[in-house]
Amino acid sequence: MLNDKSVPGVNKDAGKRSLSGMRPTGALHIGHYFGAIKNWLTMQDELKSFFFVADWHALTSEYENAANIHEFIPEMVKDWLAAGLDPERAVIFQQSKIKETAELHLILSMITPVSWLERCPTYKEQLQQLSAKDLGTYGFLGYPVLMTADIIMYRPQWVPVGQDQLPHLEIAREIARRFNNFYGDFFPEPEARLTPQPKCPGLDGRKMSKSYNNGILLSESMDSIALKIREMLTDTARLRRKDPGNPVNCNLFPYHELLTDETTQAEIREGCLSAGMGCVDCKAILLRGLKDFLEPMRERRALFDARPDFVRDVLENGNKKARAEAQKTMEGVRELIGF
Ligand code: TRP
């Protein structure tokens, strides 16, 4: 069977499949929406899509706080569903429930040169940046190998991710190629589908991040959001209402670019530059935009908050579908390797 190109034909529809995952690190903010989920929603419409909770990946750096990971899982899935991921159309599942992934990860680890992992830029960066944690572990080095197993298990061509994941995708392609060279042409080489680079900075202009508390959560109340918008700094050179301002120097404007229609955006820009519009009015428009954007999510969330088992059922169903796919892949893999 070795190097037989006519393997089970499990990857014929790769071009019609997409897969992506997210580590469960807490409630999602609008940066996650514009940076990832929006793209996932397009994938869900166009392709057979798999979206999963990367809880094993969270463990690579959070192994000392494993209990938190568990708590964040339903919270994150609720955010996904509220944002519009549809369990009827996409397979929504939990990485650690598909044990076949561990087997594939093991096999891939046999053929992955350590040098590929050591020179991965995200590995080197994280080791430095997260120096408070001991990331000198075998598992953390193998992060891209596990990610490769996640991806190629479902044989998708498309992997919607942000720019930061490109080095991992490159390793995934190389590992898939190496497997195919050794054992037969089996895995499609996955390709990144980049999220159009969205500018969604934090409310204070820094990167939106939970640790800076400078974001807007998808599940946040309008009262709390209103307070945050009121406190946002606009163009700090614009001291009085009658002074002209410049949207380029205002923390608000990137949000208008994401949430406000283009005609209104042009009016705001003009109003700011000419001092025809004040910051209070500009903030009121943004707040309305946020309300319209978050309202449908709030309504959906209320629906499944009324059904306590909903998220659990979604994951159980998704896990079953994902497992069936994974078993099919692993039958092919074992046969190719001769086990
Ligand atoms: N590494 C990804 C991130 O941090 C999460 C992830 C794990 C992933 N496995 C994946 C993304 C497979 C896409 C495909 O965002």
Side-chain angles (χ1 to χ4, degrees):
M1 196 66 203
L2 231 60
N3 287 324
D4 180 352
K5 301 287 177 197
S6 63
V7 283
V10 286
N11 62 6
K12 281 201 192 84
D13 67 342
K16 299 201 187 85
R17 289 183 175 218
S18 85
L19 170 138
S20 197
M22 211 182 264
R23 285 167 297 156
T25 52
L28 300 187
H29 52 59
I30 62 173
H32 292 115
Y33 181 88
F34 290 106
I37 295 176
K38 194 169 171 218
N39 206 9
W40 290 14
L41 293 173
T42 316
M43 296 283 135
Q44 165 180 274
D45 286 341
E46 294 173 0
L47 304 166
K48 177 164 178 61
S49 294
F50 297 82
F51 301 113
F52 71 96
V53 179
D55 52 350
W56 274 338
H57 272 106
L59 199 60
T60 60
S61 54
E62 298 301 318
Y63 54 86
E64 289 180 272
N65 311 305
N68 291 349
I69 301 174
H70 202 71
E71 270 173 39
F72 289 147
I73 293 173
E75 205 178 336
M76 184 169 80
V77 174
K78 243 190 225 185
D79 279 332
W80 287 358
L81 300 172
L85 285 196
D86 179 358
E88 299 289 323
R89 283 185 288 163
V91 179
I92 297 172
F93 67 101
Q94 184 178 346
Q95 181 186 36
S96 68
K97 299 293 180 195
I98 315 300
K99 308 300 180 197
E100 286 76 5
T101 304
E103 183 183 355
L104 185 55
H105 170 258
L106 177 90
I107 290 171
L108 298 180
S109 76
M110 304 302 171
I111 64 168
T112 305
V114 176
S115 61
W116 291 4
L117 304 173
E118 280 172 340
R119 68 162 193 247
C120 177
T122 54
Y123 176 68
K124 291 192 282 192
E125 264 165 40
Q126 300 256 44
L127 271 191
Q128 270 176 356
Q129 281 171 12
L130 306 178
S131 55
K133 290 177 188 162
D134 180 4
L135 294 182
T137 58
Y138 179 55
F140 190 69
L141 179 68
Y143 188 109
V145 186
L146 180 56
M147 189 159 156
T148 305
D150 289 334
I151 299 172
I152 65 179
M153 183 70 94
Y154 303 94
R155 299 149 345 246
Q157 179 169 359
W158 303 112
V159 186
V161 285
Q163 195 100 27
D164 61 315
Q165 297 298 314
L166 286 183
H168 297 152
L169 255 294
E170 206 40 55
I171 293 180
R173 294 166 62 77
E174 283 172 353
I175 297 177
R177 204 174 305 147
R178 203 163 152 88
F179 181 97
N180 291 347
N181 282 339
F182 284 139
Y183 306 114
D185 206 3
F186 186 67
F187 287 116
E189 289 177 24
E191 284 177 46
R193 260 280 184 107
L194 279 187
T195 311
Q197 206 51 25
K199 266 197 276 138
C200 187
L203 298 168
D204 54 4
R206 291 188 291 172
K207 182 178 159 30
M208 190 178 284
S209 149
K210 204 170 64 170
S211 45
Y212 296 152
N213 190 27
N214 63 354
I216 294 174
L217 301 180
L218 296 180
S219 53
E220 194 159 339
S221 77
M222 279 319 292
D223 285 346
S224 161
I225 294 175
L227 195 67
K228 285 182 175 171
I229 301 296
R230 207 175 312 144
E231 287 174 352
M232 271 177 90
L233 285 185
T234 52
D235 178 353
T236 48
R238 188 178 186 188
L239 298 176
R240 287 165 295 253
R241 166 68 181 81
K242 64 178 181 359
D243 296 336
N246 191 343
V248 172
N249 302 324
C250 176
N251 285 341
L252 232 62
F253 203 70
Y255 290 92
H256 281 304
E257 290 181 312
L258 293 170
L259 290 159
T260 307
D261 67 86
E262 284 183 13
T263 318
T264 316
Q265 267 184 53
E267 286 167 14
I268 293 172
R269 194 191 308 270
E270 206 282 316
C272 182
L273 289 167
S274 67
M277 183 188 283
C279 296
V280 174
D281 292 334
C282 178
K283 286 186 170 183
I285 298 174
L286 179 62
L287 198 59
R288 225 175 305 137
L290 278 165
K291 185 163 189 288
D292 292 346
F293 166 64
L294 294 173
E295 199 58 38
M297 298 192 204
R298 213 179 304 286
E299 282 168 15
R300 272 194 290 265
R301 185 185 301 275
L303 286 182
F304 47 74
D305 271 348
R307 296 167 57 190
D309 292 339
F310 189 70
V311 169
R312 199 200 58 199
D313 292 349
V314 164
L315 282 178
E316 275 183 10
N317 254 319
N319 291 343
K320 254 187 233 148
K321 290 185 203 160
R323 196 172 295 124
E325 291 282 345
Q327 283 168 351
K328 222 166 28 166
T329 300
M330 288 316 293
E331 275 170 29
V333 167
R334 291 182 205 120
E335 195 177 327
L336 279 174
I337 301 184
F339 287 163

